[in-house]
Structures are given as structure tokens and as C-alpha cells.
Amino acid sequence: MLVEAQEGAGNCCVSVQVGGLAPVSPPQDSRAGQLSFCTKVCYGIGGMPNQVASSATAFYLQLFLLDVAQIPAAQVSLVLFGGKVSGAAADPVAGFFINRSSRTGSGRLMPWVLGCTPFIAVAYFLLWFLPPFSSLRGLWYTAFYCVFQALATSLQVPYAALTMRLTPCPRERDSATAYRMTMEMAGTLLGAAVHGLLVSGAHRPHPCEDAAPPGPQTRVRDSADAVSLRLCAQICPVPQTRLYSIAAAVVAMMYPVCSGLLCLGVKERPDSSAPASGQGLSFLAGLGLTVRHPPYLKLVISFLFISAAIQVEQSYLVLFCTHASRLHDHVQGVVLTILVSAVLSTPLWEWVLQRFGKKTSAFGICVMVPFAILLAAVPTAPVAYVVAFVSGLSIAVSLLLPWSMLPDVVDDFQLQHQHSPGLETIFYSSYVFFTKLSGAGALGISTLSLEFAGYEAGACKQAEQVVVTLKVLIGAVPTCMILTGLCILMAGPAPKVPSQDPSRRLSLQRRTSYSLA
């Protein structure tokens, strides 16, 4: 028995075909399957906390670990690598257990979202908490960053899958997805703004520069510097840790509030495909098919380099402004400029994708390359803001493009493997897994390079080798990775799209979601 969602002029209907009988259409209701404005907004709000937390950790966690927690750069490398690997590994594990969980009174997905909420809020707060001991701080932050990343994935997977349980109408699902993307982008901006504003007092002109006690001009300079260092060590940690704890508490409170609104405003529909969910290919067999599909392999490898380059640029821009230039007063402004530029340029890039094609739009990613090199060579405030604006443009297209190209790859795969439907989830989850893994490796290795360069946690001034390393990490490294990824992406023809007929593509993409045993 096959059930297919069809779009009408302004409504949604379901046609049922049994065996060889003609389709039987139930009475059409113009309001059937429609979602209210309140439901869409509540659904969008449910995705905000993860984006707020991800934005805050992307820009400020490394700076916190190095300058506030004052753990060695080698241990910071392990913290970042372990957390990213934990999040990547949690993707297939979460999908495996969610698919085998039974439905409850509130649905099959909603209990996972609500169950993860209190634990992820606590894990996020403890991630920014400074423990009273110093010898095991590296282990403390590694453990809680791994726990936070795993819980964030366990919350995001059922939340994203909830889209299919909102309504059987594809048009309404697309509308709900648009609300979700808008709220998540607002959450990204909110995370950097709220967290950055709250901790901005911790990264004003370095207290070591102003801590020297007054004295005659003939005082030996080394003696004054020694006094400054002692005063900085005594004064700096207290307000810094308090500010970071307040910011962490504010973000952590968003999890129960937003999850509560999601639960109150969204009702999960029964999963009509549940009886047939266990009749498809196993996860490993499906993964083996997908990774051998050439267009998918090319897409994944290219964005392994591109996404890792963007993550390195984001992570080290704040450190560069703080330690390799006199831009510590502009850190918050630079971060907000990046995010505002990315949010506002997303509709423009969507139009460019439709007008000029996806391969042409990919060149927008390399727009940031010459400007990043310029910032490393001329680290002034005007240049930093220009680089931040252009980086936002490149980040927007780098986030939009893979999710726009993946459906074409899935369509191409389904044309060639019509006997193996229902693998869309594996395409998306494995893509996220590989990109997270590449980001973990890039951040881990690059942070380790700071250790080799002689980075000193809490030092008033870093060695010249550290400054040079930071310049390389925001200039040469992202440039090489972006250009490599674009060369791989441009090689070979684009995947074939099965048909430009919307009804044909709609039927192909959603056929397995509505098949019943």
C-alpha cells in the first residue's frame, strides 16, 4: 500500500492506492494539515538553544580555556578534539536508539528532546565553571565538553526529525523549516551577542598593562613588570570567572525555557511509517552504498576542507585580535559584524543559487581569502571590520550550499538505486558526522601548534612565534583549505536531477516516508 503526499492549489491531500485499484481520495479539507503561526514559531524556538550555545563555544571557548582556565595549549587541543569527536560519534548512535525507541503519550521524538534538556543545561554551565583544583582542569573540561557535545547531538537529532511529524503536508513542512532556520540563525547571532557582551569586561585592555604601581621613573623596569604580573595573577581570575559563569547560566536557562515552549506549542503526529521502519537496509549497509556514490563522495570531501577552514577562522579570529594585534577592544564588534553579515546575506545567496546555479555560487566562499590574508598583514581596526563583513558573506554561502546540494545528490542516488529507497537519513547524518570529524582534527592540530610555538596561558604578552602562528592560522591555513575544497567541488559534472517536474521530485523525495507495510 502506497501513500503519497500531493500538493494542491492551496491545500494538502493524501491519495491512497491499494494493489491495482484506482486511487481513493478522501474528502479534501482546505485546513487539513495546516500549521498555525504559533506552532511554527514554537517549533523554531525549540532549535535556538543549541545554536546559541554553539555560537558561544565556537567564538569564546578556546579563549576561555587558554586565558581564564589557563590550561596548556596541548590540553586545549585535546579538549576541542575530544568534544568534536564525541558529537560526531553521537550522530549515528542517537539515530540508532531513537529509531528503536517506542512511542509514548507525547510521541516518540519529544521525550528525547525533553529528557536531554536538563542534562545539557547542567553540562553547558559546568563547561564554563572554573574548578577549585588546577592539576586536573584539562580532564574536567574534556569530560564536560564531550558530554555537552553528545547531549547536544542527542537533542538536535530528534528535534530535526520532528519536522516530518508536524504535518503530512510538504508545503507546511517547508514553511516550518523556514521558521526553524530563521530562529536558528537568530540564535547564532544571539549567542555571540549575549555571551560576548557579558564577558566583554574580561577581555578589555589587559590588566597587566595597567597594574604597575606608581613609582619614580628611575625604577627598574623588570621590577615593575614582576609586580604587574603578580597583581594580574591575583586580580584577573575572579571577575573573569564570574562573568563567564553568568553568561553560561543565561545560556543554560534557555534550554528548559525553549524546550518547554516547544512541548507546549507543537504536537507530534503518529509515525505512519513505523511498521515498515525495520524492513530497509541496515545502517552499515546503507552507509556503504552512500559513501561509494561518486557525487556524494565529492561533496563530502570538498566540504571537509571548507567547513574545517571556516571553523579554524572562527576559532582563531578572537585569539588573534586578543594576542596578535591591538584589537582586544574590538573583539565583540568584529564577532557581531561576522554574524550580522551572515544572517543578512543568506537571502541574497539563496537568490544567487537559484539565478546562477550552485557551482557558480560556490566561488562566494573564496571571497574571504584575500581579506583574511590582508588582516594578517595589516591588523588594524578598519581592516578587521571589513574582513569580518566579508567573512560573514563567505560563511553564509558555505553553510547554505551543502544543504542545497545534498538533495540533488540524494535524487541522483535514488535514480541509480531505485531498489534501495529510504537512505536520505544516512546521507544527512553521515555528512554531519564527517564534517564534525574534520573540524575536530583541524582544531586539535591547530591548537597543538600554539603549544609548539610557546603559547603561555595568562601571559601579558605572547612570544613572537605565537603571533606568527596566529597570523598563519587566520590567513594561510584557511586559504589553502578553501581553495583545495573548491577545486575538488568543481571537478567533474554536477549530479543529475531526476526531473524538473515538482510533483515528480516531491513524490521521489518523500515516497519512503509514506510507505506502509
Side-chain angles (χ1 to χ4, degrees):
M1 180 165 59
L2 179 65
V3 182
E4 294 184 7
Q6 298 177 346
E7 289 185 314
N11 58 345
C12 299
C13 62
V14 177
S15 63
V16 182
Q17 183 175 357
V18 183
L21 300 179
V24 180
S25 299
Q28 295 185 6
D29 181 3
S30 61
R31 299 182 60 86
Q34 290 188 355
L35 300 175
S36 66
F37 172 77
C38 179
T39 298
K40 295 176 183 178
V41 170
C42 289
Y43 175 65
I45 289 175
M48 289 185 67
N50 259 353
Q51 301 305 314
V52 172
S54 297
S55 177
T57 54
F59 284 105
Y60 292 101
L61 180 61
Q62 193 173 41
L63 185 65
F64 169 79
L65 295 176
L66 289 171
D67 285 2
V68 180
Q70 296 188 2
I71 62 178
Q75 294 184 27
V76 174
S77 175
L78 293 177
V79 172
L80 298 178
F81 180 78
K84 293 291 185 179
V85 170
S86 174
D91 275 296
V93 174
F96 177 86
F97 284 107
I98 290 173
N99 281 336
R100 281 157 178 76
S101 61
S102 57
R103 180 177 174 84
T104 64
S106 57
R108 189 156 65 100
L109 301 175
M110 196 69 75
W112 283 87
V113 175
L114 297 178
C116 291
T117 295
F119 299 103
I120 192 174
V122 173
Y124 183 81
F125 178 80
L126 294 177
L127 178 61
W128 301 92
F129 177 76
L130 190 68
F133 47 85
S134 59
S135 58
L136 297 177
R137 283 181 183 175
L139 181 61
W140 171 280
Y141 292 113
T142 301
F144 281 106
Y145 193 43
C146 289
V147 171
F148 168 73
Q149 287 287 352
L151 289 173
T153 297
S154 299
L155 186 148
Q156 187 67 23
V157 168
Y159 169 74
L162 190 60
T163 308
M164 297 298 296
R165 311 288 176 81
L166 296 177
T167 172
C169 178
R171 179 174 297 175
E172 286 297 293
R173 285 201 299 268
D174 293 341
S175 177
T177 301
Y179 275 80
R180 169 196 161 192
M181 296 303 296
T182 302
M183 290 295 185
E184 287 186 348
M185 294 177 69
T188 301
L189 179 60
L190 187 65
V194 171
H195 190 98
L197 287 173
L198 289 174
V199 304
S200 58
H203 301 288
R204 296 199 180 280
H206 206 291
C208 295
E209 298 175 2
D210 303 324
Q217 296 295 327
T218 57
R219 179 172 296 179
V220 180
R221 184 178 184 84
D222 291 342
S223 177
D225 288 343
V227 174
S228 297
L229 286 171
R230 287 197 301 269
L231 291 176
C232 181
Q234 295 171 0
I235 296 173
C236 294
V238 176
Q240 283 182 323
T241 55
R242 185 180 299 123
L243 290 173
Y244 273 97
S245 295
I246 293 173
V250 171
V251 176
M253 285 301 299
M254 293 187 65
Y255 277 100
V257 172
C258 294
S259 295
L261 291 174
L262 175 68
C263 183
L264 292 175
V266 176
K267 180 177 177 58
E268 180 183 341
R269 295 171 59 92
D271 181 13
S272 59
S273 63
S277 60
Q279 296 182 4
L281 293 174
S282 67
F283 180 85
L284 292 178
L287 182 62
L289 281 177
T290 58
V291 297
R292 290 196 300 268
H293 188 55
Y296 180 70
L297 196 60
K298 182 180 72 172
L299 180 67
V300 168
I301 294 176
S302 63
F303 277 96
L304 288 183
F305 287 96
I306 294 172
S307 63
I310 297 298
Q311 291 184 57
V312 169
E313 181 77 16
Q314 284 181 314
S315 297
Y316 289 98
L317 184 61
V318 174
L319 274 176
F320 173 82
C321 293
T322 304
H323 295 301
S325 63
R326 296 184 177 274
L327 297 174
H328 37 62
D329 286 339
H330 301 277
V331 168
Q332 180 66 13
V334 168
V335 171
L336 290 180
T337 301
I338 292 175
L339 295 177
V340 170
S341 173
V343 171
L344 296 182
S345 63
T346 298
L348 172 63
W349 285 117
E350 180 64 31
W351 176 82
V352 172
L353 288 175
Q354 299 294 332
R355 179 67 177 82
F356 299 102
K358 296 168 185 176
K359 276 200 169 183
T360 303
S361 303
F363 288 102
I365 301 174
C366 64
V367 171
M368 66 181 287
V369 168
F371 292 93
I373 297 175
L374 178 63
L375 178 61
V378 188
T380 61
V383 173
Y385 282 101
V386 172
V387 171
F389 177 79
V390 176
S391 297
L393 300 178
S394 295
I395 289 173
V397 68
S398 70
L399 295 177
L400 182 64
L401 193 60
W403 300 111
S404 177
M405 299 181 74
L406 266 175
D408 295 342
V409 173
V410 174
D411 285 345
D412 182 77
F413 177 85
Q414 289 179 338
L415 279 178
Q416 299 181 29
H417 303 82
Q418 296 183 10
H419 62 285
S420 303
L423 300 182
E424 296 91 342
T425 303
I426 297 180
F427 274 100
Y428 284 85
S429 62
S430 58
Y431 171 79
V432 173
F433 170 79
F434 290 127
T435 52
K436 283 184 178 180
L437 204 59
S438 70
L443 290 177
I445 294 173
S446 56
T447 306
L448 199 59
S449 67
L450 289 180
E451 177 75 10
F452 295 144
Y455 184 92
E456 295 182 12
C460 297
K461 185 178 181 180
Q462 298 294 337
E464 184 62 27
Q465 293 89 338
V466 176
V467 175
V468 173
T469 301
L470 288 173
K471 289 182 178 181
V472 171
L473 289 175
I474 70 158
V477 171
T479 296
C480 295
M481 297 177 76
I482 287 175
L483 294 179
T484 302
L486 286 177
C487 290
I488 296 173
L489 186 64
M490 297 300 162
K496 297 179 181 179
V497 179
S499 175
Q500 298 301 322
D501 181 14
S503 61
R504 165 65 179 149
R505 295 194 62 184
L506 181 67
S507 174
L508 179 61
Q509 292 176 359
R510 295 179 170 89
R511 187 177 299 273
T512 54
S513 298
Y514 293 93
S515 61
L516 301 177

